[in-house]
């Protein structure tokens, strides 16, 4: 007898141990783990759904999960959002525990405030996969980007344009208290240390939303000296550009974040003035990567506690091609099917190069 998946009790663990005595152990170190998860349910607890990136992220999860249900890979799924209220999100996670979900994917509103609820889920035998927000509870698996690399890529591009001469940097952050924001800001501080001639002259919180970023940047510009470059986290490049133009200032190097309005504004400025920049960011479909990591763990695949996923970068020569692939008001997107995620897990385990982000369809 073979038993696959994650046990819910000591009895299940004993059965797993007993089965190993009478049947070969499934070795899922490479490729797709094939343990039976057809009776498993996977939930998605999301902290915030107030911008286009998060909305597409939720849709990506639901589309992939529904496909998995249709194919009999899992039996059910759900997604819930907490309106950036960590108390509500903790309560929602507790409800998902009571509802008997086998895995809970978490996009956390805080890197620490949900630790108690996450630990409760782990103690109940539930696989917890936190993604794109980083939680500090050790029992959770983390699916995320290397945010030091994110910040380094931004600063390296700025250096390629400005050189090492003194430059003033404005940083647009995400949401105050959010784990992703905190870790990316820490990456920015490390990257700035490698460019001692660059000076941070201000920070604002744009909430990854164009209109918020525009308002916040417009509010701080009158108090700032010349700004030579703007660091962003995604969704804030268009707003920053509009704020500089409305203030009568020449737009600095503004890092874009892979959204259609940012890429179009970049293209328009390039056509008008020769303006060049760089765009990078997470893809909303990282929720699919988290989904398949959870499913593969339930299926018996050994995964490291941290599974890094690649960022999507857009450079000037490829701007038109990428822009054609994204709908009006949308975000550059790419599917993470099960086989790709299995290869990403394997690359993380082996310490080898990650598979590239597939081109959006």
């Amino acid at each position: 007898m073979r038993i696959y998946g994650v046990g819910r009790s000591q009895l299940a663990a004993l059965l797993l141990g007993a089965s190993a005595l009478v049947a070969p152990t499934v070795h899922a170190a490479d490729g797709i783990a094939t343990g039976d998860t057809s009776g498993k349910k996977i939930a998605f607890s999301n902290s915030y759904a107030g911008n286009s990136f998060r909305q597409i992220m939720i849709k990506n999860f639901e589309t992939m999960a529904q496909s998995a249900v249709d194919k009999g890979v899992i039996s059910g799924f759900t997604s819930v959002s907490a309106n950036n209220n960590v108390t509500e999100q903790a309560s929602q996670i507790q409800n998902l525990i009571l509802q008997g979900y086998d895995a809970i994917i978490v996009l956390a509103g805080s890197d620490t405030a949900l630790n108690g609820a996450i630990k409760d889920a782990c103690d109940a035998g539930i696989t917890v996969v936190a993604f794109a927000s980083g939680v500090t509870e050790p029992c959770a698996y983390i699916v995320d980007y290397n945010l030091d690399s994110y910040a380094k890529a931004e600063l390296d591009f700025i250096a390629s344009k400005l050189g090492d001469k003194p430059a003033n940097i404005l940083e647009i952050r995400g949401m105050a208290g959010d784990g992703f924001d905190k870790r990316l800001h820490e990456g920015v501080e490390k990257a700035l240390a490698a460019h001692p001639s660059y000076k941070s002259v201000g920070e604002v919180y744009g909430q990854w939303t164009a209109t918020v970023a525009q308002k916040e940047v417009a509010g701080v510009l009158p108090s700032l000296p010349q700004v030579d470059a703007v660091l962003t986290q995604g969704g804030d490049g268009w707003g920053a550009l509009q704020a500089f133009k409305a203030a009568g200032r020449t737009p600095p190097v503004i890092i874009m974040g892979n959204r259609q309005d940012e890429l179009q504004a970049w293209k328009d400025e390039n056509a008008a003035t020769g303006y060049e920049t760089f765009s990078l960011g997470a893809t909303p479909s990282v929720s699919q990567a988290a989904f398949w990591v959870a499913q593969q763990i339930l299926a018996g695949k050994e995964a490291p506690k941290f599974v890094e996923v690649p960022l999507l970068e857009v450079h000037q020569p490829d701007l038109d091609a990428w822009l054609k692939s994204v709908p009006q008001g949308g975000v550059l997107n790419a599917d993470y099917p099960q086989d790709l995620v299995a290869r990403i897990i394997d690359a993380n385990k082996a310490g080898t190069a990650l598979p590239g982000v597939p081109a959006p369809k």
Side-chain angles (χ1 to χ4, degrees), residues 124-206:
I126 298 169
T127 297
V128 178
V129 177
F131 76 99
S133 57
V135 299
T136 53
E137 168 50 52
C139 73
Y141 291 87
I142 306 296
V143 173
D144 210 345
Y145 303 96
N146 183 331
L147 297 187
D148 287 354
S149 295
Y150 193 122
K152 183 178 184 299
E154 290 191 286
L155 266 298
D156 285 353
F157 178 81
I158 290 169
S160 75
K161 292 298 181 183
L162 303 182
D164 290 327
K165 66 183 182 182
N168 293 330
I169 309 294
L170 171 65
E171 181 184 359
I172 305 178
R173 300 182 58 173
M175 188 84 70
D178 181 87
F180 180 92
D181 167 76
K182 290 170 66 177
R183 289 180 297 110
L184 183 47
H185 176 65
E186 290 170 357
V188 166
E189 291 180 324
K190 294 175 186 176
L192 279 173
H195 298 276
S197 60
Y198 293 173
K199 178 183 178 182
S200 176
V201 295
E203 297 176 14
V204 296
Y205 286 93

Side-chain angles (χ1 to χ4, degrees), residues 307-323:
V307 177
E308 180 184 347
V309 289
L311 291 161
L312 174 59
E313 298 186 1
V314 180
H315 298 268
Q316 188 72 50
D318 302 319
L319 174 59
D320 286 343
W322 281 111
L323 189 54

Side-chain angles (χ1 to χ4, degrees), residues 223-258:
S223 66
L224 296 182
Q226 174 181 318
V227 175
D228 299 294
V230 180
L231 302 175
T232 63
Q233 293 191 3
D236 32 25
W238 183 91
L241 180 64
Q242 302 312 310
F244 276 90
K245 293 175 72 173
R249 294 198 182 198
T250 300
V253 178
I254 301 171
I255 306 300
M256 300 299 176
N258 291 358

